[in-house]
Structures are given as structure tokens and as C-alpha cells.
Amino acid sequence: MYEPIFALFCERVKESIQAGTFAKLTLAKTMGDNEIKNIYFRLVLNEDNSFSISLTTRYKTEEIESIHTLDEALLVLGTYIKNPFLTALLFTTDNDVTFKVNKKNAGSIIEQPPTFKNASPVMLEMIEKGIV
């Protein structure tokens, strides 16, 4: 089953935010033809110097944005694994971390050199303000 591996992936997301290396996260590679195309996970800085997560769900005809706590956002992402997404991509300044589910329902994590040299602008602002 993929769930324990996805839990490890979620820990990597949290660690990247705590370490100030978070750049971007997206769900991709759907099974079959779906209305939903992808989901983007972004940091949002709140007025009280806390942060939230913006989940932008992109459909064929529209985009819907919702705001969550970090834990809520990761739970929401989990509901989309295998329904319909097979891949979650975490981009950090240290490395790119890819979570995949195969046809046998097994999860895996693959690490590659980083795509992004800089953390997301909101992540950089959070570091500057001492939030992380």
C-alpha cells in the first residue's frame, strides 16, 4: 500500500517548509481523462505573520482556490492520490522529491537534483520575518 510512503512524503513537505527550502508542490499525472487537471500547493502569508496553504485545483474549465492549514492541505492532497493523481512533486532548493503510486498500489519516493535555485517568494518572506 502507498499510504506509509505518502506519509513520508508529507513529512518531507513539512521539513522543507521548516527548513526554508520549499519552492513548489503540485499533483500531476491523472489516471484517464478527468475534469481535474492538476492541483497546486502554495504558501500564503497571513496578516498575523502566520502562514496558510493555498490549494488551487485546476479543472478543464475553471480553477478553484481554497485556503487550509498545512495539516489540512496535506490531508486534502491525500484524498486525491489514486483519485485521480498518481504523482506528487515537491520542489525544494535541496532536491526535487517525487512521490509515485504504481498499478500495484505501491508508493515510491524518488529524489533528483533541484529544479529551483530559490525557495518560493513567500517562503523567502517567511524566512526574512522569522516565521520559520
Side-chain angles (χ1 to χ4, degrees), residues 9-19 70-71 74:
F9 178 80
C10 290
E11 284 305 310
R12 297 293 296 276
V13 174
K14 290 179 182 179
E15 288 167 6
S16 74
I17 293 170
Q18 290 166 349
L70 177 57
D71 288 336
L74 292 171

Side-chain angles (χ1 to χ4, degrees), residues 6 27 39 55 57 66 68 71-81:
F6 185 69
L27 294 187
I39 298 176
L55 292 180
T57 307
S66 56
H68 305 272
D71 288 336
E72 288 169 353
L74 292 171
L75 283 173
V76 170
L77 289 184
T79 66
Y80 287 102
I81 299 298

Side-chain angles (χ1 to χ4, degrees), residues 15-128:
E15 288 167 6
S16 74
I17 293 170
Q18 290 166 349
T21 62
F22 179 87
K24 181 176 154 180
L25 191 156
T26 186
L27 294 187
K29 294 193 179 154
T30 60
M31 298 190 303
D33 186 30
N34 293 285
E35 281 299 307
I36 190 169
K37 290 296 168 196
N38 48 26
I39 298 176
Y40 296 106
F41 175 112
R42 290 185 303 115
L43 297 170
V44 178
L45 196 54
N46 300 321
E47 287 182 23
D48 65 356
N49 280 343
S50 64
F51 73 94
S52 296
I53 305 300
S54 162
L55 292 180
T56 303
T57 307
R58 183 172 287 163
Y59 296 89
K60 285 182 179 176
T61 57
E62 66 179 335
E63 283 185 12
I64 298 174
E65 182 181 26
S66 56
I67 304 294
H68 305 272
T69 66
L70 177 57
D71 288 336
E72 288 169 353
L74 292 171
L75 283 173
V76 170
L77 289 184
T79 66
Y80 287 102
I81 299 298
K82 289 208 68 167
N83 183 30
F85 295 100
L86 298 174
T87 305
L89 301 154
L90 168 64
F91 299 95
T92 76
T93 56
D94 290 337
N95 51 29
D96 293 353
V97 181
T98 304
F99 167 81
K100 291 184 180 183
V101 180
N102 66 19
K103 290 178 183 169
K104 294 181 180 173
N105 218 26
S108 63
I109 291 179
I110 300 160
E111 291 189 29
Q112 296 175 299
T115 300
F116 294 93
K117 289 183 172 55
N118 298 313
S120 75
V122 174
M123 179 88 264
L124 294 173
E125 190 175 346
M126 288 167 55
I127 294 165
E128 188 178 296

